[in-house]
Amino acid sequence: MKKVIGLVAALGLMASPLTQANTAITVSGSTSVTNVMEVLGETYQQLTNQTVEVQGTGSSAGIRAAKDGTSMIGMSSRDVKDSEVTADTKEIVIARDGIAVTINNKNAVSNLSKEQIAKIYRGELKNWNEVGGENRPIVVVTRDAASGTRGAFEDIMKLKREVNGMKVSAITSSAQVGNGNGMVKTIVANNPYAIGYISLGSVDDSLKAVSVDGAAPSSKTIASGDYSIARPFVLLIKEDVDPAANKFIDYILSEDGQKIVEAQGYIRVN
Amino acid sequence: MDSAMTTNTLKLPEKATKKRDWIETVFHLLFLGCAMVGVLSVATIAWFVFHEGLPAFQQAGISEIIFGREWLPPALFGIAPMIVASLISTLGAVIIGVPIAILTAVFLAELAPKWLANLVRPAVELLAGIPSVVYGFFGLVIIVPMIEVLFHIPAGNTILAGIIVLAIMILPTVITISETSLRALPSTYKEAALALGASHIYSIFRVLIPAARSGIYTGISLGVARAIGETMAIIMVMGNAPAMPGSLLEPARTLTANIAMEMSYATGIHASALYSTGIVLLVFIVLLNASLLYLNHKRSH
């Protein structure tokens, strides 16, 4: 599969100079950012006739690509560590995405502290009455180990521990595992004692998002920093990057670009 | 006399025979080629899975993977809980599904009035055509809440839910093949049993079912293969927790669910560990088919 994708990409690269006089802006990295980036790229292409090539390879790979210069722009859906980049790499936050901690509509609990949520996911708090609810066991729902949402949630909630010198998840292994935002939603919507985390854009009437440390999740509270379970969508560029890439980023941060970000269900930064 | 006849028969159609031989060879090769498609596919899949999965076995060790009880990529790759979950869910589905299926097959082949058989048979056949994601959804909205109410547990996404869904899913395979093999029996078997004074039910259980045994076994083995290989429906109803299940009322993750859930993002040793999960699954299915072949072989002697 990877070979096929590589081959197609290579053929694409070979063919593009024939059809396009200008060089393409190459973007690669986080699969979460890819969704909104593809829409931005296509719109930009229609506006300026400038080709934008977007590849979803994962945040770590995107950061590395920007550092090595294999892509003009790298995408990351988590905070970038200083050790990952060189001094001449610029980080630009283009949007924010909230992770909502959701419970069933019938559950009376409406506010949890960050500490309580972390303890629930570690398996230390097992009953709703320990966090102000009725005397029923908590059904913990998480995402599969490879999910980007789970990665960001674990980073923010500090749900990591070390085994054999490698960082692994500290989420209790008896937690139910949902394969995608939609499945976590279905489980939580149907089970009065379930708790699960999903992308804020996916929350609807079938379940409710709890306030965390008193702040309800919304564009406002995330932008102000009151709601803390949020992750940035970061673009990385080298200072001496092709001016075309800088122009594209200016467009993303402009009113038109930010409108697209908002329409895709993410939180604008400008 | 003898030699004259042979030369005569050989000489006469010589030209025609040669031409026919050529056509024979072409068709022979065509049939051989078709037969090889299946063999080559299995061989390619086995080679690919082993090639991708062996690095994990080399790095983590065979016993660490097969007997390890913790699945924490990228540090620990124990799949023992998933092996247990796969075996128990399949076994449970067989225990519930096979008796229902065999009795249904007997009913269709022997007892049902024609109009009723014509109603039941298409229903069973329709069951075979329903996509597994629909079974999963049915399990998630009907069986899972039902288990929650019946057993007073907070979450019905359990092995039991998986067993029930799988038992329904293997029904059509086992019913269709068992019914066909019951119908294929010579009518003399039943006539002889009845003539000897056996009741209808007695002759069914003591004569017809034992006689159709080999076909019924084939049906069961195909059913088991479907149950152990089922993925989508299981992901939706079994909760997928990678912990060792303590009872039927706890969530668990099967081998297939583990591969399907994590393959899309996994890289490096993690991806390799998923392929090694596939190796274990492949070995299970080979063992299953081998033991069935052996059983049928032994019984036929």
Side-chain angles (χ1 to χ4, degrees), chain A residues 5 21 23 66 79 99 107 114-115 117 122 216 221 232 242 249 265:
Chain A
I5 293 170
T23 49
D79 285 316
I99 299 176
N107 198 323
K114 232 173 144 178
E115 189 57 36
I117 295 169
R122 274 198 207 97
T221 51
D242 196 299
I249 291 176

Side-chain angles (χ1 to χ4, degrees), chain B residues 6-25:
Chain B
T6 25
T7 42
N8 253 352
T9 43
L10 270 180
K11 252 184 192 171
L12 269 173
E14 197 180 356
K15 249 190 168 173
T17 316
K18 256 194 181 166
K19 199 176 172 190
R20 213 170 55 226
D21 271 352
W22 186 76
I23 295 172
E24 289 275 322
T25 321

Side-chain angles (χ1 to χ4, degrees), chain A residues 146 161 166 173 175-177 183 191, chain B residues 74 154 157 235 239-241 261 265:
Chain A
R161 62 192 168 105
M166 273 176 276
S173 66
Q176 303 225 2
V177 183
M183 212 174 114
N191 191 319
Chain B
N157 309 61
I235 287 180
N240 306 312
M261 293 186 57
Y265 284 81

